[in-house]
């Protein structure tokens, strides 16, 4: 079965793939190791991956490339990078199994809008990659008036305009989450990918999520995970509760995504720990 | 399983007299972190360190056995230890990190390890996660109510606090005071009422007082890493152990309390669902 139909099957778009059981992760393993990547590469077809750069800062793809130890293997044996300004010398957008879209979309920029629509047509699976693409992140603060395009003022997460299949938020996403996602994707490990699929619906992020959805809901336990996770150090802990400095917050959504009281992947954690 | 997945359960205490003197129970947390530091299994540990305010802890990065010992003892209020993990790695340059965490904190840490969305290069640096049992936790103002108002003594006179045998205990230099746990109900943080983990089911090693006699701890080894570090420490003489089958009150009580917590809090979860309130589990 081709990977494209496998992915569609996994996403419930077409028929489920027969006899392709998701492989359980090795016990006690937290990161995607080199051996794991090699093993996966040997056993599976290579997905065709494209990288689409909208209103982003290239930080997301920099983060992807920080998987130094597995990157050569990843690029040569695991995936085919078939499209992407900084990655491949290709002008026509080809068919893709997975398109990683970095950056939000500027509603006043015709080219971006066109590119986004084209991605949706050409890719089996569209991933909002990085918080700008997923939640708008700091482009939420854009309001135009700058040279040379004072009219460029409205930026939205890509899911406002097209159907998005999964999201990997982060400003930028960590190198590890990318490696783990690619390995899961190639393995067809849908259990691992489920949170990413659920997060495709989260198109707004803000430090105030902690107050609204955790503290206000009588769920906060003062663990400090949000303060640890915030990539701009906007969250501090006061009397065991998160306190968000709104002036530092870039609306990436990571604090709420990492909070153990927003969602909790118990099965996956036990599998990863060998428990 | 009411106690989570585990490899072994024993009753144990640290052999070091200095640790015995300051630790809450058997000194397992302090003893094991100090051992791991000495053996270079970790380079530092995040613990609940003391502050200027009596019984109000702050997470602290301990780089020496002395600093780990200075943080011994249970503080029944928030110490957001998870917050300090990133700082320990980025600002202290620690590559191999240990930490102590109550069950909900282990959840934040383990979730981050399985799904490090925005958290780069931290997941694999946590080499030892010691979980401690937890029935509930209290805002600092609740402690003040118990101690200053209900017991009528000043916080600064308190040398130790403990929960056990149905009471909240306070030890001063020359007095032992207590209030029935009934009087603490309603003062716990409400986030605890949906918590389904009593014995830190996601720790590498978990420990607590229930099940073992005073001065001893009940130790549960869970992951391969945790099991091997604890065994190494026992072999090196850092801990003495007893078969849990031979100590009183033993596993029965631990299982009973864990089951009670799960049952009671599951009811709260169900009730919340009925009301349309969100729950993470
Ligand atoms: C809020 C709370 C509730 C508890 N409830 C129970 C219970 O119901 N039943 C039970 O058997 N045990 C319970 N414990 C655990 C018990 O009180 C001891 O902490 C445990 O037995 C470890 O003892 P020890 O002698 O090995 O640790 P020690 O060597 O004394 O070291 C204790 C370690 O815990 C850390 N610590 C102290 N306070 C906190 C805190 N608030 N948050 C995070 N880390 C902290 C310290 O920094 C230190 O490193 C609870 C602990 C806490 C913090
Ligand atoms: S991460 Fe912890 S401290 Fe932060 S909001 Fe969630 S429960 Fe509260
Ligand atoms: S508080 Fe920090 S983590 Fe949360 S949305 Fe704002 S910048 Fe992101
Ligand atoms: S009862 Fe649960 S939520 Fe409350 S402090 Fe203890 S471990 Fe955390």
């Amino acid at each position: 079965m081709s990977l494209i139909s496998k992915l569609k099957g996994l996403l419930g778009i077409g028929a489920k793939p027969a006899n392709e059981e998701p492989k359980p992760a090795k016990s006690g393993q937290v990161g995607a190791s080199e051996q794991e990547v090699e093993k996966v590469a040997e056993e599976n077809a290579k997905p065709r991956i494209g990288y689409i750069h909208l209103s982003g800062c290239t930080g997301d793809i920099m983060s992807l490339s920080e998987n130094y130890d597995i990157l050569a293997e990843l690029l040569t044996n695991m995936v085919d990078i078939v499209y992407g300004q900084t990655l491949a010398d290709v002008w026509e957008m080809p068919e893709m199994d997975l398109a990683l879209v970095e950056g939000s979309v500027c509603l006043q920029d015709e080219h971006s809008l066109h590119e986004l629509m084209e991605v949706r047509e050409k890719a089996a699976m569209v991933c909002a990659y990085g918080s700008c693409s997923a939640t708008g992140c700091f482009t939420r603060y854009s309001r135009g008036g700058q040279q040379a395009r004072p009219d460029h003022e409205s930026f939205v997460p890509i899911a406002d305009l097209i159907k998005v299949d999964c999201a990997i938020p982060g400003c930028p996403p960590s190198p590890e989450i990318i490696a783990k996602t690619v390995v899961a994707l190639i393995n067809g490990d849908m259990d691992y990918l489920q949170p990413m699929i659920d997060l495709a619906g989260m198109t707004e992020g803000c430090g105030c999520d902690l107050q609204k959805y955790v503290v206000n809901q009588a769920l906060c336990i003062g663990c400090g995970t949000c303060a640890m996770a915030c990539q701009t150090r906007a969250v501090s802990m006061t009397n065991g509760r998160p306190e968000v400095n709104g002036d530092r917050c870039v609306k990436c959504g990571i604090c709420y995504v990492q909070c153990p009281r927003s969602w909790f992947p118990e099965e996956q954690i036990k599998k990863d720990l060998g428990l | 399983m009411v106690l989570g997945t585990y490899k072994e359960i024993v009753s144990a205490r640290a052999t070091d007299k200095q640790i015995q003197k300051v630790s809450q129970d058997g000194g397992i947390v302090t003893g094991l972190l100090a051992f791991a530091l000495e053996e270079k299994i970790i380079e530092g540990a995040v613990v609940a360190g003391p502050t200027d305010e009596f019984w109000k802890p702050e997470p602290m990065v301990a780089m020496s056995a002395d600093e780990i010992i200075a943080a011994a003892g249970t503080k029944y209020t928030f110490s957001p230890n998870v917050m300090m993990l990133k700082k320990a790695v980025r600002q202290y340059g620690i590559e191999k990190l240990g930490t102590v965490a109550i069950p909900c904190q282990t959840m934040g840490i383990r979730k981050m390890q399985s799904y490090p969305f925005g958290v780069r290069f931290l997941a694999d640096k946590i080499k030892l996660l010691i979980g401690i049992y937890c029935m509930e936790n209290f805002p600092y103002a609740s402690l003040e109510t118990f101690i200053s108002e209900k017991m009528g003594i000043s916080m600064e006179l308190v040398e130790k606090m403990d929960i056990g045998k149905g009471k909240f205990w306070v030890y001063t230099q020359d007095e032992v005071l207590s209030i029935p746990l009934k009087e603490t109900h309603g003062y716990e943080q409400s986030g605890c009422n949906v918590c389904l983990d009593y014995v830190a089911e996601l720790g590498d090693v978990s420990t607590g007082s229930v099940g073992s006699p005073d001065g001893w701890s009940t130790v549960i080894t869970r992951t391969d890493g945790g099991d091997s570090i604890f065994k190494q420490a026992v072999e090196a003489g850092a801990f003495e152990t007893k078969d849990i089958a031979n100590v009183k009150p033993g596993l029965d009580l631990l299982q009973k309390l864990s089951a009670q917590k799960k049952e009671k809090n599951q009811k709260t979860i169900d009730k919340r669902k009925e009301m349309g309130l969100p729950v993470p589990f």
Side-chain angles (χ1 to χ4, degrees):
Chain A
M1 178 178 294
S2 80
L3 197 83
I4 193 155
S5 45
K6 179 171 163 185
L7 284 171
K8 279 185 174 165
L10 290 166
L11 287 167
I13 302 166
K16 279 249 171 214
N19 61 45
E20 273 172 294
E21 284 290 305
K23 297 178 195 70
K26 269 189 283 171
S27 69
Q29 176 135 359
V30 170
S33 75
E34 221 164 317
Q35 294 95 310
E36 188 182 359
V37 167
E38 274 168 26
K39 193 171 139 273
V40 166
E42 273 166 30
E43 292 172 4
N44 298 280
K46 290 202 255 178
R48 294 164 301 166
I49 296 186
Y51 198 92
I52 284 79
H53 197 288
L54 298 178
S55 294
C57 69
T58 324
D60 301 326
I61 200 164
M62 293 273 290
S63 194
L64 183 148
S65 70
E66 269 191 87
N67 286 297
Y68 305 114
D69 48 341
I70 59 168
L71 195 67
E73 183 62 33
L74 186 92
L75 293 182
T76 43
N77 294 324
M78 279 181 73
V79 301
D80 271 333
I81 300 283
V82 294
Y83 186 71
Q85 278 178 347
T86 41
L87 300 170
D89 188 15
V90 177
W91 288 88
E92 282 282 303
M93 195 186 287
E95 296 262 309
M96 295 165 280
D97 296 311
L98 170 70
L100 297 170
V101 181
E102 167 175 342
S104 59
V105 211
C106 175
L107 296 181
Q108 289 86 15
D109 179 15
E110 228 174 278
H111 297 290
S112 293
L113 290 172
H114 176 77
E115 208 177 354
L116 186 65
M117 298 308 153
E118 197 180 358
V119 175
R120 185 60 281 182
E121 255 170 52
K122 300 272 173 69
M125 192 165 174
V126 174
C127 175
Y129 179 61
S131 286
C132 283
S133 186
T135 68
C137 203
F138 72 97
T139 63
R140 286 284 188 193
Y141 293 101
S142 304
R143 49 214 290 274
Q146 73 287 316
Q147 295 299 0
R149 291 303 300 263
D151 59 318
H152 283 195
E153 71 170 37
S154 315
F155 293 76
V156 293
I158 63 169
D160 278 9
L161 296 175
I162 60 165
K163 179 181 178 295
V164 171
D165 303 300
C166 68
I168 306 179
C171 184
S174 73
E176 299 104 304
I177 195 77
I178 300 153
K180 286 161 88 79
T181 304
V182 172
V183 169
L185 193 68
I186 293 170
N187 274 334
D189 182 352
M190 290 315 288
D191 293 340
Y192 187 77
L193 297 175
Q194 192 57 49
M196 278 82 150
I197 294 167
D198 296 340
L199 283 169
M202 181 181 141
T203 54
E204 283 177 30
C206 181
C208 58
D209 295 342
L210 300 172
Q211 181 68 32
K212 278 192 296 191
Y213 305 129
V214 192
V215 180
N216 285 170
Q217 305 293 328
L219 290 172
C220 181
I221 30 78
C223 61
T225 307
C226 48
M228 179 267 290
C230 176
Q231 296 175 284
T232 65
R233 295 193 208 166
V235 185
S236 53
M237 297 295 294
T238 308
N239 288 324
R241 294 293 175 262
E243 187 168 311
V244 177
N245 179 344
D247 291 340
R248 286 189 85 109
C249 175
V250 296
K251 294 185 180 287
C252 67
I254 282 302
C255 48
Y256 181 68
V257 167
Q258 302 278 183
C259 167
R261 288 298 175 91
S262 55
W263 54 281
F264 193 68
E266 190 180 341
E267 293 302 313
Q268 183 65 43
I269 288 170
K270 288 188 171 159
K271 199 154 93 178
D272 288 349
L273 290 173
L275 293 178
Chain B
M1 253 173 303
V2 76
L3 299 179
T5 309
Y6 60 84
K7 296 203 188 308
E8 210 182 351
I9 305 186
V10 294
S11 191
R13 71 166 175 184
T15 49
D16 184 314
K17 293 275 177 288
Q18 198 192 350
I19 294 179
Q20 281 181 10
K21 234 190 341 215
V22 293
S23 65
Q24 184 75 15
D25 298 305
I28 307 303
V29 178
T30 302
L32 199 55
L33 288 176
F35 173 80
L37 193 68
E38 195 173 310
E39 293 299 309
K40 302 198 163 42
I41 297 164
I42 58 172
E43 297 165 355
V46 172
V47 290
T51 63
D52 294 343
E53 252 179 288
F54 291 93
W55 297 98
K56 194 171 194 178
E58 280 284 345
M60 167 181 113
V61 182
M63 305 282 282
S64 68
D66 284 346
E67 285 175 305
I68 291 171
I69 289 171
T74 302
K75 294 91 178 176
Y76 287 98
T77 189
F78 316 129
S79 176
N81 289 357
V82 189
M83 175 184 95
M84 278 306 260
L85 299 178
K86 198 193 245 176
K87 211 171 184 181
V89 168
R90 302 278 193 279
Q91 271 153 271
Y92 290 70
I94 294 172
E95 292 281 326
K96 296 182 285 180
L97 186 61
T99 193
V100 48
I102 45 180
C104 56
Q105 296 177 333
T106 67
M107 291 182 201
I109 296 169
R110 293 310 194 192
K111 176 173 159 181
M112 175 273 288
Q113 289 183 305
S114 283
Y115 288 97
F117 278 108
V119 185
R120 53 205 281 119
F121 303 138
L122 179 55
D124 59 340
K125 300 207 165 61
I126 297 164
K127 301 295 182 196
L128 177 60
L129 175 53
I130 307 178
I132 47 185
Y133 310 165
C134 179
M135 191 58 84
E136 73 232 316
N137 202 358
F138 301 97
Y140 187 72
S142 297
L143 289 187
E144 288 179 319
T145 306
F146 305 156
I147 293 160
S148 313
E149 305 303 322
K150 293 189 186 244
M151 297 180 189
I153 57 156
S154 151
M155 288 287 255
E156 55 186 88
L157 294 177
V158 176
E159 303 213 312
K160 181 173 179 170
M161 293 180 199
D162 201 9
I163 294 179
K165 304 177 187 83
K167 288 184 172 159
F168 185 95
W169 302 87
V170 157
Y171 298 79
T172 69
Q173 208 155 35
D174 35 38
E175 258 184 308
V176 182
L177 300 157
S178 70
I179 50 170
L181 274 187
K182 268 205 315 280
E183 287 191 42
T184 68
H185 292 331
Y187 288 91
E188 74 277 8
Q189 69 175 337
S190 49
C192 293
N193 297 332
V194 298
C195 175
L196 298 172
D197 186 355
Y198 180 52
V199 289
E201 296 178 23
L202 301 175
D204 288 316
V205 176
S206 314
T207 186
S209 64
V210 168
S212 293
D214 287 350
W216 289 73
S217 294
T218 306
V219 182
I220 308 179
T221 67
R222 299 187 185 280
T223 62
D224 292 337
D227 191 57
S228 103
I229 295 172
F230 183 69
K231 294 219 160 86
Q232 248 176 282
V234 172
E235 224 158 88
F239 298 113
E240 49 184 319
T241 63
K242 286 183 191 168
D243 189 339
I244 192 73
N246 301 334
V247 303
K248 291 262 175 281
L251 276 191
D252 286 350
L253 182 64
L254 194 62
Q255 279 164 339
K256 192 178 114 194
L257 290 183
S258 182
Q260 275 175 2
K261 175 172 177 177
K262 284 174 192 270
E263 209 176 296
K264 175 172 144 275
N265 291 349
Q266 187 59 52
K267 277 193 193 133
T268 312
I269 289 176
D270 295 342
K271 211 161 86 193
R272 283 181 63 98
K273 281 183 181 157
E274 257 171 52
M275 289 194 285
L277 291 169
V279 264
F281 319 114

